[in-house]
Amino acid sequence: MKCLKARRKLIAYLDNELGQQERDKIEKHLNSCAVCSKELNDLSRVFEAFCLHEEIEPSPYFRNIVKQKIEEQEKKPVSLIEIFRFAIKKPLPKIAVLLLLIGLFIVPAIISKSSAATKVLINVEGIKPNFCDPIKANLRKITGIKEVSIAPNSSTVCITLKEGKHVNLGEVERAIRNAGPYLCKDFNVVSSSRKKSKIEKEVNE
Amino acid sequence: MRNYDEDITLMLKVKNGDIPAFEQIMKKHEKPVINTIYRFVGNRIRAEEIAQEVFIKVYNSAKRYRPKAKFSTWLYKIVTNTCFDDLRKKKNISASFFENEIPDPKQSSQDIILEKDESDCFVREAINSLPKRQRIAVILREYNGLSYREISKILRCSTKSVESLLYHAKLGLKEKLMPYLKEGKI
């Protein structure tokens, strides 16, 4: 055995972690190599010094603190962050937890957004069938609202307002009046839980 | 082997909600656990805090506990991971290492105690300078008397890797501590 190989094994030799065959080889080498023998001696001296390392005593309250923290933890409700942490740590329930969260929070949020639309139905006199583009253009320009629909052969203009959006009815009237010889007969503001498509369908009818 | 069986029996009791069994586990392992962590982080207060975290993890994991290996291997795996997590959280751990730990020579009246404290500091400083995996491997081997096989399970590597970790760690320690040994400070 060469010195380099023997030295790499000296720690395991000192730790008594070598098989008998390897131990014999090392011992044989150590008997014939003064440098490696000195290295072994130095290493064992260093690790004898480890025995000097002081030990500390746990505080007398240690166990009580742990028990108290466990009790507190059991009283505390599980937070969303902890569910996320758990999902990240455990790959199998990860998808299940993710789906659960989507089901619980994201889907209702999307549904509520889409269903929280408010519609403004305006009965307009003088609307010419298939010639409503100026009304739409004016409404979009003046009120800034893009969701405007007028069903063919209908005198009802429908403005759909998303959640949190408002419209000034005076501006709506001005926009319709400026688009041509039209007269707004009445306004109906309806908060609806139905989807936009349903509102439009109703207008179409 | 008897201890091994005792620990597993206790842990299975904890699994079924037996709080006194958990207290027994804590009573038995608190000192070695705190000392292992103390040697790793170098700060008594921090060591106790991390040890508290370790035992809370033991309690929380009890429901999923399966006696596949020795209890100590499982326990020290939790200790190691918690120490590594703490190190990630507090990268300035080495700065706090000497905060409260080096005894002030002026405060001590007994030379023998001084000498012991001083040599203790050299050893601790040398251990603290090692990379985290080498450091924990040395601590588990030298102070907890764990075998290379047990350390390999804790660090999730082969026994050859543990041999290599300890080889590099101990050569580094020798380099740091030999001058003090020659001067007779240790």
Side-chain angles (χ1 to χ4, degrees):
Chain A
M1 187 181 264
K2 287 182 180 174
C3 284
L4 195 69
K5 201 178 171 187
R7 281 191 197 178
R8 280 196 76 94
K9 294 280 173 190
L10 282 183
I11 303 286
Y13 174 78
L14 275 174
D15 286 339
N16 211 8
E17 286 277 349
L18 292 179
Q20 194 54 50
Q21 212 177 355
E22 266 187 310
R23 278 192 79 81
D24 291 343
K25 280 184 192 173
I26 297 279
E27 277 164 10
K28 196 178 165 191
H29 177 79
L30 288 170
N31 286 334
S32 61
C33 179
V35 183
C36 286
S37 288
K38 190 184 175 297
E39 178 75 8
L40 182 74
N41 191 34
D42 286 349
L43 282 168
S44 50
R45 272 180 70 198
V46 167
F47 294 105
E48 273 166 24
F50 270 58
C51 307
L52 295 168
H53 206 322
E54 67 165 332
E55 278 204 324
I56 57 167
E57 288 296 327
S59 85
Y61 315 107
F62 180 80
R63 268 173 270 152
N64 283 339
I65 294 170
V66 174
K67 271 163 46 188
Q68 198 184 329
K69 282 188 176 179
I70 288 171
E71 275 169 25
E72 279 169 18
Q73 169 199 276
E74 284 179 346
K75 280 178 198 166
K76 214 170 75 178
V78 183
S79 70
L80 269 180
I81 297 163
E82 277 159 358
I83 296 172
F84 265 119
R85 273 186 195 154
F86 179 73
I88 289 160
K89 275 184 188 170
K90 304 281 171 191
L92 195 66
K94 197 171 170 179
I95 297 164
V97 172
L98 205 67
L99 287 173
L100 186 74
L101 288 173
I102 289 170
L104 280 175
F105 301 101
I106 299 169
V107 171
I110 292 167
I111 290 170
S112 70
K113 267 203 167 184
S114 59
S115 62
T118 300
K119 62 179 180 175
V120 181
L121 298 172
I122 312 136
N123 193 6
V124 184
E125 201 180 72
I127 283 185
K128 291 172 189 169
N130 306 322
F131 194 69
C132 305
D133 286 350
I135 296 178
K136 286 184 187 175
N138 257 18
L139 276 170
R140 284 169 187 158
K141 194 178 161 188
I142 294 172
T143 64
I145 292 162
K146 287 174 185 171
E147 301 292 318
V148 179
S149 60
I150 303 165
N153 304 318
S154 164
S155 60
T156 306
V157 175
C158 177
I159 296 171
T160 308
L161 298 168
K162 284 182 184 170
E163 194 184 30
K165 291 270 181 189
H166 300 280
V167 68
N168 184 333
L169 293 181
E171 278 184 353
V172 171
E173 195 187 7
R174 189 160 55 90
I176 292 171
R177 210 175 46 229
N178 289 351
Y182 308 119
L183 180 68
C184 295
K185 284 171 79 181
D186 60 74
F187 292 90
N188 275 319
V189 182
V190 185
S191 282
S192 173
S193 61
R194 285 162 294 183
K195 285 186 180 178
K196 198 185 91 188
S197 58
K198 282 189 178 174
I199 296 164
E200 281 172 350
K201 198 181 163 193
E202 192 183 299
V203 172
N204 289 345
E205 283 165 357
Chain B
M1 196 65 190
R2 206 178 134 223
N3 276 344
Y4 162 59
D5 287 339
E6 263 176 27
D7 288 335
I8 287 180
T9 312
L10 285 172
M11 204 52 206
L12 291 173
K13 281 183 182 173
V14 178
K15 193 177 181 174
N16 294 322
D18 190 334
I19 302 292
F22 178 63
E23 275 180 46
Q24 265 182 278
I25 285 184
M26 273 205 289
K27 195 176 176 183
K28 190 174 171 188
H29 294 281
E30 62 182 354
K31 195 177 171 184
V33 164
I34 288 175
N35 275 288
T36 305
I37 299 167
Y38 171 57
R39 278 156 191 152
F40 187 84
V41 299
N43 181 297
R44 283 163 197 256
I45 298 162
R46 195 73 205 114
E48 281 226 358
E49 283 170 357
I50 298 170
Q52 286 163 13
E53 216 178 303
V54 166
F55 283 108
I56 291 169
K57 282 182 184 175
V58 168
Y59 181 81
N60 290 342
S61 315
K63 282 178 188 166
R64 299 188 299 274
Y65 177 73
R66 278 179 295 165
K68 287 192 287 188
K70 275 176 82 172
F71 174 78
S72 61
T73 309
W74 183 74
L75 177 65
Y76 285 102
K77 200 183 264 185
I78 296 176
V79 169
T80 303
N81 291 340
T82 316
C83 282
F84 287 178
D85 284 348
D86 181 73
L87 207 60
R88 265 194 294 274
K89 278 184 233 161
K90 298 196 170 194
K91 285 185 178 172
N92 59 344
I93 212 98
S94 49
S96 66
F97 171 57
F98 289 109
E99 247 169 43
N100 305 310
E101 301 306 317
I102 288 189
D104 182 355
K106 287 171 195 167
Q107 285 174 358
S108 177
S109 56
Q110 292 177 331
D111 286 350
I112 302 163
I113 293 170
L114 244 179
E115 273 174 31
K116 190 183 178 298
D117 285 344
E118 198 186 29
S119 61
D120 216 49
C121 283
F122 294 140
V123 174
R124 252 187 290 150
E125 191 188 359
I127 292 175
N128 213 257
S129 68
L130 295 172
K132 65 176 184 181
R133 282 172 73 83
Q134 289 183 20
R135 198 190 318 170
I136 197 74
V138 166
I139 293 166
L140 293 173
R141 173 69 209 173
E142 291 302 313
Y143 295 108
N144 299 67
L146 266 57
S147 68
Y148 283 18
R149 194 174 156 71
E150 284 172 294
I151 299 170
S152 75
K153 280 183 184 169
I154 290 166
L155 295 177
R156 290 179 187 173
C157 61
S158 65
T159 46
K160 284 276 166 203
S161 303
V162 173
E163 196 181 313
S164 171
L165 271 176
L166 286 169
Y167 168 75
H168 290 289
K170 291 186 174 183
L171 274 193
L173 289 173
K174 189 200 131 195
E175 241 173 67
K176 288 216 158 55
L177 295 174
M178 261 325 263
Y180 299 123
L181 269 172
K182 281 179 183 167
E183 287 170 26
K185 287 183 177 174
I186 295 178

